[in-house]
Amino acid sequence: MLTICVALAAACCFALGNAIQHRAAGRIPSEHGVLQLVVALFQSPQWLIGSFFALLAFGLHITAMNLGVVAVVQPFMLGAVLLAVPIRAFLDKELPSRSEMVWVAFTVAAIIVFVWSANSERESGPPHDGRALAMVSVGFLVAVLWASTASRFDRGSMRGFVYATSAGLTFGLTAGLMKFVRHDAADGWLGLFEHWHIWALLVGSVLGTTMNQRSYQAAHLSVVMPSMNSVNIVVAVAIGWIVFDEPPSLSPVSFMIQVLCLMAMAYGLLQVARAEDAVEEAHQHERVSQPSS
């Protein structure tokens, strides 16, 4: 129960931080290069406020990962995406649409069933460090190479998909790296900096955040949200299984239930994002149609 409470607190902070960051990043021209984007973001007070909540969520996420298993904690991070719906509505000073709330409820139900069917037993033995190094090295390289191909696509939706899946891969790997904190800090918190895990975690966080902001600029949420979060969960659960001996399920039946729930989550996220895009397009139409004073 403590693991779930901490994971939900992390999701709430992520939701608030991401909603604020998304509004700030969307106001920056997409023609900006990576360096220009970073400079512009750090000059935005709104983005810095969002970053504060994102950092708080980061700490809570690490805590949750070291209290429980990946297959239980990581799906709750989707709550950040779903909570962004009422938060965005609050920032816009209006109620969420009926369609948004229906699909939010659908996705929450899929998360609950996924977690209910997951194996919640945590292994007490040491993680497989060599496997982790191989997965992180290859994963980061693939994410960077895949993200570098985004500029070759003319369609913004495809560029957003490339950036979003790259960010999802990176965030999934960093979620796994968070579980090393408990082991690396066993002899004191200074011991964290003697291992490669914390440095890879920081690098991955910067890479993932940069790719995530790029995806926000390139495409609608209906492209970004499902692709990034689906890849995120799959990679995080995989690293939990391979590195920490935490299989997501203990039977073929529960495994199939989880696969179906993952598909339902992706579909629910797609529908939530489409509803949000419709609301955003309606707002843009209203602003355009209003006579200038």
Side-chain angles (χ1 to χ4, degrees):
M1 182 58 69
L2 178 60
T3 301
I4 292 175
C5 289
V6 175
L8 285 173
C12 290
C13 290
F14 268 128
L16 184 56
N18 285 344
I20 296 173
Q21 285 182 327
H22 182 266
R23 290 169 69 90
R27 297 173 181 174
I28 299 173
S30 59
E31 294 79 13
H32 279 22
V34 174
L35 183 58
Q36 288 177 302
L37 172 64
V38 172
V39 172
L41 289 173
F42 275 95
Q43 289 177 340
S44 168
Q46 190 178 52
W47 190 85
L48 292 175
I49 292 173
S51 298
F52 167 78
F53 286 103
L55 287 173
L56 180 59
F58 185 70
L60 290 169
H61 193 183
I62 289 177
T63 303
M65 277 295 186
N66 286 278
L67 287 172
V69 301
V70 177
V72 171
V73 173
Q74 201 62 11
F76 278 104
M77 292 302 102
L78 282 184
V81 178
L82 304 177
L83 286 168
V85 172
I87 289 174
R88 179 196 54 74
F90 173 77
L91 293 174
D92 292 337
K93 299 180 180 180
E94 63 179 24
L95 293 174
S97 69
R98 182 179 178 181
S99 176
E100 285 177 301
M101 296 313 298
V102 166
W103 288 111
V104 164
F106 175 87
T107 310
V108 167
I111 293 173
I112 291 173
V113 176
F114 185 98
V115 173
W116 170 77
S117 63
N119 171 30
S120 61
E121 296 182 3
R122 186 176 63 182
E123 280 293 321
S124 58
H128 302 283
D129 193 69
R131 297 180 187 177
L133 181 59
M135 288 187 71
V136 170
S137 300
V138 173
F140 281 1
L141 179 60
V142 169
V144 171
L145 291 177
W146 178 230
S148 67
T149 67
S151 59
R152 301 179 183 178
F153 297 98
D154 295 329
R155 290 167 49 205
S157 59
M158 189 62 197
R159 291 197 303 272
F161 172 79
V162 172
Y163 283 127
T165 49
S166 299
L169 172 56
T170 306
F171 284 144
L173 292 169
T174 56
L177 288 170
M178 290 178 184
K179 287 187 67 66
F180 278 96
V181 171
R182 180 169 62 94
H183 299 276
D184 294 346
D187 298 325
W189 287 102
L190 291 177
L192 282 174
F193 301 97
E194 298 176 359
H195 300 272
W196 65 269
H197 314 117
I198 189 67
W199 303 110
L201 176 59
L202 294 173
V203 170
S205 299
V206 173
L207 280 176
T209 300
T210 302
M211 295 170 185
N212 193 21
Q213 300 302 322
R214 282 303 228 181
S215 70
Y216 285 158
Q217 288 185 301
H220 290 298
L221 290 178
S222 56
V223 174
V224 173
M225 282 169 48
S227 49
M228 180 177 67
N229 288 285
S230 299
V231 172
N232 184 346
I233 290 181
V234 170
V235 173
V237 170
I239 197 172
W241 192 352
I242 296 170
V243 175
F244 297 94
D245 294 322
E246 295 176 355
S249 59
L250 298 177
S251 71
V253 174
S254 61
F255 181 76
M256 286 304 302
I257 291 174
Q258 288 181 309
V259 171
L260 292 174
C261 286
L262 184 61
M263 294 170 63
M265 283 184 243
Y267 185 72
L269 285 172
L270 174 63
Q271 297 302 324
V272 169
R274 282 178 173 173
E276 287 205 46
D277 284 342
V279 171
E280 182 62 27
E281 288 174 3
H283 287 168
Q284 290 177 355
H285 180 72
E286 289 175 3
R287 287 193 291 266
V288 171
S289 60
Q290 286 178 349
S292 58
S293 55

Short mmCIF file of all heavy atoms in Angstrom, two decimals, residues 14 58 61-62 65-66 70 74 135-136 139-140 166-181 197-209 232 235-236 239 244:
data_model
loop_
_atom_site.label_atom_id
_atom_site.label_comp_id
_atom_site.label_asym_id
_atom_site.label_seq_id
_atom_site.Cartn_x
_atom_site.Cartn_y
_atom_site.Cartn_z
N PHE A 14 4.16 14.57 -11.36
CA PHE A 14 4.49 14.49 -12.78
C PHE A 14 3.41 15.15 -13.62
O PHE A 14 3.70 15.87 -14.59
CB PHE A 14 4.64 13.03 -13.22
CG PHE A 14 6.04 12.50 -13.13
CD1 PHE A 14 6.31 11.31 -12.46
CD2 PHE A 14 7.10 13.17 -13.72
CE1 PHE A 14 7.59 10.81 -12.38
CE2 PHE A 14 8.40 12.68 -13.64
CZ PHE A 14 8.64 11.49 -12.97
N PHE A 58 10.35 13.09 -9.53
CA PHE A 58 11.50 12.21 -9.77
C PHE A 58 11.94 11.54 -8.48
O PHE A 58 12.18 10.33 -8.42
CB PHE A 58 12.63 13.06 -10.36
CG PHE A 58 13.84 12.28 -10.78
CD1 PHE A 58 13.81 11.44 -11.87
CD2 PHE A 58 15.03 12.40 -10.07
CE1 PHE A 58 14.93 10.73 -12.27
CE2 PHE A 58 16.16 11.70 -10.45
CZ PHE A 58 16.11 10.86 -11.55
N HIS A 61 9.36 9.04 -7.40
CA HIS A 61 9.40 7.87 -8.28
C HIS A 61 10.54 6.93 -7.87
O HIS A 61 10.35 5.71 -7.82
CB HIS A 61 9.60 8.35 -9.73
CG HIS A 61 9.34 7.30 -10.75
ND1 HIS A 61 9.52 7.51 -12.10
CD2 HIS A 61 8.95 6.00 -10.65
CE1 HIS A 61 9.24 6.41 -12.76
NE2 HIS A 61 8.89 5.47 -11.91
N ILE A 62 11.70 7.49 -7.57
CA ILE A 62 12.83 6.68 -7.10
C ILE A 62 12.44 5.93 -5.82
O ILE A 62 12.73 4.74 -5.66
CB ILE A 62 14.07 7.56 -6.85
CG1 ILE A 62 14.65 8.05 -8.18
CG2 ILE A 62 15.14 6.78 -6.08
CD1 ILE A 62 15.83 8.97 -8.02
N MET A 65 10.07 3.07 -6.62
CA MET A 65 10.76 1.98 -7.29
C MET A 65 11.54 1.11 -6.31
O MET A 65 11.66 -0.11 -6.49
CB MET A 65 11.72 2.53 -8.35
CG MET A 65 11.07 2.85 -9.68
SD MET A 65 10.44 1.36 -10.46
CE MET A 65 9.90 2.01 -12.02
N ASN A 66 12.07 1.72 -5.26
CA ASN A 66 12.87 0.97 -4.30
C ASN A 66 12.03 0.39 -3.17
O ASN A 66 12.53 -0.35 -2.33
CB ASN A 66 13.97 1.87 -3.74
CG ASN A 66 15.08 2.10 -4.74
OD1 ASN A 66 15.98 1.29 -4.89
ND2 ASN A 66 15.02 3.21 -5.47
N VAL A 70 8.84 -3.11 -10.36
CA VAL A 70 8.62 -2.26 -11.52
C VAL A 70 7.23 -2.45 -12.11
O VAL A 70 6.54 -1.49 -12.47
CB VAL A 70 9.69 -2.53 -12.60
CG1 VAL A 70 9.42 -1.69 -13.84
CG2 VAL A 70 11.08 -2.24 -12.07
N GLN A 74 5.46 1.20 -12.23
CA GLN A 74 5.51 1.95 -13.48
C GLN A 74 4.15 2.22 -14.11
O GLN A 74 3.93 3.33 -14.63
CB GLN A 74 6.43 1.23 -14.48
CG GLN A 74 6.96 2.12 -15.58
CD GLN A 74 7.81 3.27 -15.07
OE1 GLN A 74 8.20 3.32 -13.91
NE2 GLN A 74 8.12 4.22 -15.94
N MET A 135 21.96 -3.43 -21.34
CA MET A 135 20.66 -2.91 -21.76
C MET A 135 20.66 -1.38 -21.85
O MET A 135 20.14 -0.81 -22.81
CB MET A 135 19.58 -3.35 -20.76
CG MET A 135 19.21 -4.81 -20.84
SD MET A 135 17.78 -5.22 -19.80
CE MET A 135 16.45 -4.43 -20.71
N VAL A 136 21.27 -0.73 -20.86
CA VAL A 136 21.29 0.73 -20.85
C VAL A 136 22.16 1.27 -21.99
O VAL A 136 21.77 2.22 -22.68
CB VAL A 136 21.78 1.25 -19.49
CG1 VAL A 136 22.05 2.75 -19.53
CG2 VAL A 136 20.77 0.92 -18.40
N GLY A 139 20.35 0.54 -25.24
CA GLY A 139 19.11 1.30 -25.28
C GLY A 139 19.31 2.77 -25.52
O GLY A 139 18.61 3.38 -26.34
N PHE A 140 20.26 3.39 -24.82
CA PHE A 140 20.54 4.81 -25.02
C PHE A 140 21.03 5.07 -26.43
O PHE A 140 20.64 6.06 -27.06
CB PHE A 140 21.59 5.30 -24.01
CG PHE A 140 21.04 5.56 -22.63
CD1 PHE A 140 19.71 5.35 -22.33
CD2 PHE A 140 21.87 6.02 -21.62
CE1 PHE A 140 19.20 5.60 -21.07
CE2 PHE A 140 21.37 6.27 -20.35
CZ PHE A 140 20.04 6.05 -20.07
N SER A 166 11.51 7.45 -28.72
CA SER A 166 12.88 7.56 -28.20
C SER A 166 12.86 7.96 -26.72
O SER A 166 13.60 7.40 -25.91
CB SER A 166 13.67 8.60 -29.00
OG SER A 166 13.78 8.23 -30.36
N ALA A 167 11.99 8.92 -26.39
CA ALA A 167 11.85 9.33 -25.00
C ALA A 167 11.31 8.19 -24.15
O ALA A 167 11.77 7.96 -23.02
CB ALA A 167 10.93 10.54 -24.90
N GLY A 168 10.33 7.44 -24.67
CA GLY A 168 9.78 6.32 -23.93
C GLY A 168 10.82 5.25 -23.64
O GLY A 168 10.87 4.70 -22.53
N LEU A 169 11.67 4.94 -24.62
CA LEU A 169 12.75 3.98 -24.43
C LEU A 169 13.70 4.47 -23.35
O LEU A 169 14.10 3.71 -22.45
CB LEU A 169 13.49 3.77 -25.76
CG LEU A 169 14.78 2.94 -25.71
CD1 LEU A 169 14.53 1.57 -25.12
CD2 LEU A 169 15.38 2.82 -27.12
N THR A 170 14.07 5.74 -23.41
CA THR A 170 15.02 6.30 -22.45
C THR A 170 14.41 6.33 -21.04
O THR A 170 15.06 5.96 -20.07
CB THR A 170 15.42 7.72 -22.86
OG1 THR A 170 15.91 7.69 -24.21
CG2 THR A 170 16.52 8.26 -21.96
N PHE A 171 13.16 6.77 -20.93
CA PHE A 171 12.51 6.84 -19.62
C PHE A 171 12.30 5.45 -19.03
O PHE A 171 12.38 5.27 -17.81
CB PHE A 171 11.17 7.56 -19.73
CG PHE A 171 11.29 9.06 -19.87
CD1 PHE A 171 10.40 9.76 -20.66
CD2 PHE A 171 12.28 9.75 -19.20
CE1 PHE A 171 10.50 11.15 -20.78
CE2 PHE A 171 12.39 11.13 -19.31
CZ PHE A 171 11.50 11.83 -20.11
N GLY A 172 12.03 4.46 -19.86
CA GLY A 172 11.89 3.10 -19.36
C GLY A 172 13.18 2.58 -18.76
O GLY A 172 13.18 1.92 -17.71
N LEU A 173 14.30 2.88 -19.41
CA LEU A 173 15.60 2.47 -18.89
C LEU A 173 15.96 3.21 -17.61
O LEU A 173 16.48 2.61 -16.66
CB LEU A 173 16.68 2.71 -19.95
CG LEU A 173 16.60 1.83 -21.20
CD1 LEU A 173 17.55 2.34 -22.28
CD2 LEU A 173 16.91 0.38 -20.87
N THR A 174 15.66 4.51 -17.55
CA THR A 174 15.96 5.26 -16.34
C THR A 174 15.10 4.79 -15.16
O THR A 174 15.53 4.83 -14.01
CB THR A 174 15.77 6.77 -16.55
OG1 THR A 174 14.44 7.02 -17.01
CG2 THR A 174 16.75 7.31 -17.56
N ALA A 175 13.87 4.34 -15.46
CA ALA A 175 13.03 3.79 -14.40
C ALA A 175 13.70 2.57 -13.77
O ALA A 175 13.69 2.40 -12.54
CB ALA A 175 11.65 3.42 -14.94
N GLY A 176 14.29 1.73 -14.62
CA GLY A 176 15.02 0.58 -14.09
C GLY A 176 16.24 1.00 -13.28
O GLY A 176 16.53 0.41 -12.23
N LEU A 177 16.94 2.03 -13.75
CA LEU A 177 18.13 2.50 -13.03
C LEU A 177 17.78 3.03 -11.64
O LEU A 177 18.61 3.00 -10.73
CB LEU A 177 18.83 3.58 -13.85
CG LEU A 177 19.57 3.11 -15.10
CD1 LEU A 177 20.00 4.30 -15.96
CD2 LEU A 177 20.79 2.26 -14.72
N MET A 178 16.56 3.53 -11.48
CA MET A 178 16.15 4.04 -10.17
C MET A 178 16.20 2.97 -9.09
O MET A 178 16.42 3.27 -7.91
CB MET A 178 14.73 4.61 -10.26
CG MET A 178 14.62 5.88 -11.06
SD MET A 178 12.89 6.44 -11.16
CE MET A 178 13.06 7.86 -12.24
N LYS A 179 16.00 1.72 -9.48
CA LYS A 179 15.97 0.64 -8.49
C LYS A 179 17.37 0.33 -7.95
O LYS A 179 17.49 -0.38 -6.94
CB LYS A 179 15.36 -0.62 -9.10
CG LYS A 179 13.86 -0.54 -9.29
CD LYS A 179 13.27 -1.85 -9.72
CE LYS A 179 13.36 -2.91 -8.65
NZ LYS A 179 12.52 -2.59 -7.47
N PHE A 180 18.40 0.83 -8.59
CA PHE A 180 19.76 0.60 -8.08
C PHE A 180 20.07 1.47 -6.86
O PHE A 180 21.05 1.22 -6.16
CB PHE A 180 20.79 0.87 -9.17
CG PHE A 180 20.99 -0.29 -10.11
CD1 PHE A 180 20.32 -0.33 -11.31
CD2 PHE A 180 21.85 -1.32 -9.79
CE1 PHE A 180 20.50 -1.39 -12.20
CE2 PHE A 180 22.04 -2.39 -10.66
CZ PHE A 180 21.36 -2.43 -11.87
N VAL A 181 19.27 2.51 -6.64
CA VAL A 181 19.56 3.43 -5.54
C VAL A 181 19.61 2.70 -4.21
O VAL A 181 20.51 2.93 -3.38
CB VAL A 181 18.50 4.56 -5.50
CG1 VAL A 181 18.66 5.39 -4.24
CG2 VAL A 181 18.63 5.44 -6.73
N HIS A 197 25.53 3.79 -12.15
CA HIS A 197 24.07 3.85 -12.30
C HIS A 197 23.53 5.27 -12.15
O HIS A 197 22.67 5.70 -12.94
CB HIS A 197 23.40 2.94 -11.26
CG HIS A 197 24.03 1.59 -11.15
ND1 HIS A 197 24.63 1.12 -9.99
CD2 HIS A 197 24.16 0.61 -12.07
CE1 HIS A 197 25.09 -0.09 -10.19
NE2 HIS A 197 24.83 -0.43 -11.44
N ILE A 198 24.00 6.00 -11.15
CA ILE A 198 23.45 7.34 -10.91
C ILE A 198 23.81 8.29 -12.04
O ILE A 198 23.01 9.15 -12.44
CB ILE A 198 23.95 7.90 -9.55
CG1 ILE A 198 23.22 9.20 -9.19
CG2 ILE A 198 25.47 8.12 -9.58
CD1 ILE A 198 21.76 9.01 -8.89
N TRP A 199 25.01 8.12 -12.61
CA TRP A 199 25.42 8.99 -13.72
C TRP A 199 24.62 8.66 -14.98
O TRP A 199 24.22 9.57 -15.72
CB TRP A 199 26.92 8.83 -13.96
CG TRP A 199 27.73 9.14 -12.74
CD1 TRP A 199 28.44 8.26 -11.96
CD2 TRP A 199 27.91 10.43 -12.12
NE1 TRP A 199 29.02 8.90 -10.91
CE2 TRP A 199 28.72 10.23 -10.98
CE3 TRP A 199 27.45 11.70 -12.41
CZ2 TRP A 199 29.09 11.27 -10.14
CZ3 TRP A 199 27.82 12.75 -11.58
CH2 TRP A 199 28.61 12.53 -10.46
N ALA A 200 24.41 7.37 -15.22
CA ALA A 200 23.57 6.98 -16.36
C ALA A 200 22.14 7.46 -16.17
O ALA A 200 21.47 7.87 -17.13
CB ALA A 200 23.60 5.46 -16.54
N LEU A 201 21.65 7.43 -14.93
CA LEU A 201 20.31 7.91 -14.63
C LEU A 201 20.17 9.40 -14.95
O LEU A 201 19.18 9.83 -15.55
CB LEU A 201 19.99 7.66 -13.16
CG LEU A 201 18.65 8.17 -12.62
CD1 LEU A 201 17.49 7.55 -13.40
CD2 LEU A 201 18.53 7.85 -11.14
N LEU A 202 21.18 10.19 -14.58
CA LEU A 202 21.15 11.63 -14.86
C LEU A 202 21.22 11.90 -16.35
O LEU A 202 20.48 12.74 -16.88
CB LEU A 202 22.31 12.32 -14.13
CG LEU A 202 22.24 12.30 -12.60
CD1 LEU A 202 23.52 12.88 -11.99
CD2 LEU A 202 21.02 13.07 -12.11
N VAL A 203 22.10 11.19 -17.05
CA VAL A 203 22.23 11.35 -18.51
C VAL A 203 20.92 10.97 -19.19
O VAL A 203 20.42 11.68 -20.08
CB VAL A 203 23.40 10.51 -19.05
CG1 VAL A 203 23.37 10.49 -20.58
CG2 VAL A 203 24.73 11.07 -18.57
N GLY A 204 20.35 9.84 -18.78
CA GLY A 204 19.10 9.39 -19.39
C GLY A 204 17.95 10.34 -19.13
O GLY A 204 17.10 10.55 -20.00
N SER A 205 17.93 10.95 -17.95
CA SER A 205 16.87 11.90 -17.63
C SER A 205 16.95 13.13 -18.52
O SER A 205 15.92 13.63 -19.01
CB SER A 205 16.96 12.32 -16.16
OG SER A 205 16.79 11.20 -15.31
N VAL A 206 18.18 13.62 -18.76
CA VAL A 206 18.36 14.78 -19.63
C VAL A 206 17.98 14.42 -21.07
O VAL A 206 17.26 15.18 -21.75
CB VAL A 206 19.82 15.29 -19.56
CG1 VAL A 206 20.05 16.38 -20.61
CG2 VAL A 206 20.13 15.83 -18.17
N LEU A 207 18.45 13.26 -21.54
CA LEU A 207 18.13 12.82 -22.90
C LEU A 207 16.62 12.66 -23.08
O LEU A 207 16.03 13.16 -24.05
CB LEU A 207 18.81 11.49 -23.20
CG LEU A 207 20.29 11.51 -23.59
CD1 LEU A 207 20.80 10.08 -23.74
CD2 LEU A 207 20.50 12.28 -24.88
N GLY A 208 15.99 11.95 -22.14
CA GLY A 208 14.56 11.70 -22.25
C GLY A 208 13.74 12.98 -22.21
O GLY A 208 12.79 13.14 -22.98
N THR A 209 14.13 13.90 -21.32
CA THR A 209 13.40 15.17 -21.22
C THR A 209 13.52 15.98 -22.50
O THR A 209 12.54 16.56 -22.98
CB THR A 209 13.92 15.99 -20.03
OG1 THR A 209 13.73 15.24 -18.82
CG2 THR A 209 13.18 17.32 -19.91
N ASN A 232 7.53 3.13 -22.71
CA ASN A 232 8.06 3.32 -21.36
C ASN A 232 7.75 2.12 -20.47
O ASN A 232 8.65 1.54 -19.83
CB ASN A 232 7.46 4.60 -20.77
CG ASN A 232 8.01 4.95 -19.40
OD1 ASN A 232 8.64 4.14 -18.74
ND2 ASN A 232 7.75 6.15 -18.96
N VAL A 235 9.51 -1.29 -21.67
CA VAL A 235 10.95 -1.31 -21.40
C VAL A 235 11.22 -1.40 -19.90
O VAL A 235 12.10 -2.16 -19.46
CB VAL A 235 11.63 -0.05 -22.00
CG1 VAL A 235 13.09 0.03 -21.57
CG2 VAL A 235 11.52 -0.07 -23.52
N ALA A 236 10.47 -0.66 -19.10
CA ALA A 236 10.67 -0.68 -17.64
C ALA A 236 10.39 -2.07 -17.08
O ALA A 236 11.16 -2.58 -16.25
CB ALA A 236 9.79 0.36 -16.97
N ILE A 239 13.27 -4.46 -18.08
CA ILE A 239 14.50 -4.33 -17.30
C ILE A 239 14.30 -4.84 -15.87
O ILE A 239 15.21 -5.40 -15.26
CB ILE A 239 15.01 -2.86 -17.30
CG1 ILE A 239 16.48 -2.81 -16.85
CG2 ILE A 239 14.18 -1.96 -16.43
CD1 ILE A 239 17.12 -1.43 -17.02
N PHE A 244 16.43 -7.40 -12.43
CA PHE A 244 16.10 -7.55 -11.02
C PHE A 244 15.32 -8.82 -10.69
O PHE A 244 14.85 -8.99 -9.57
CB PHE A 244 15.29 -6.33 -10.55
CG PHE A 244 16.04 -5.03 -10.64
CD1 PHE A 244 15.95 -4.23 -11.76
CD2 PHE A 244 16.88 -4.63 -9.61
CE1 PHE A 244 16.64 -3.05 -11.85
CE2 PHE A 244 17.58 -3.44 -9.68
CZ PHE A 244 17.47 -2.65 -10.80
#
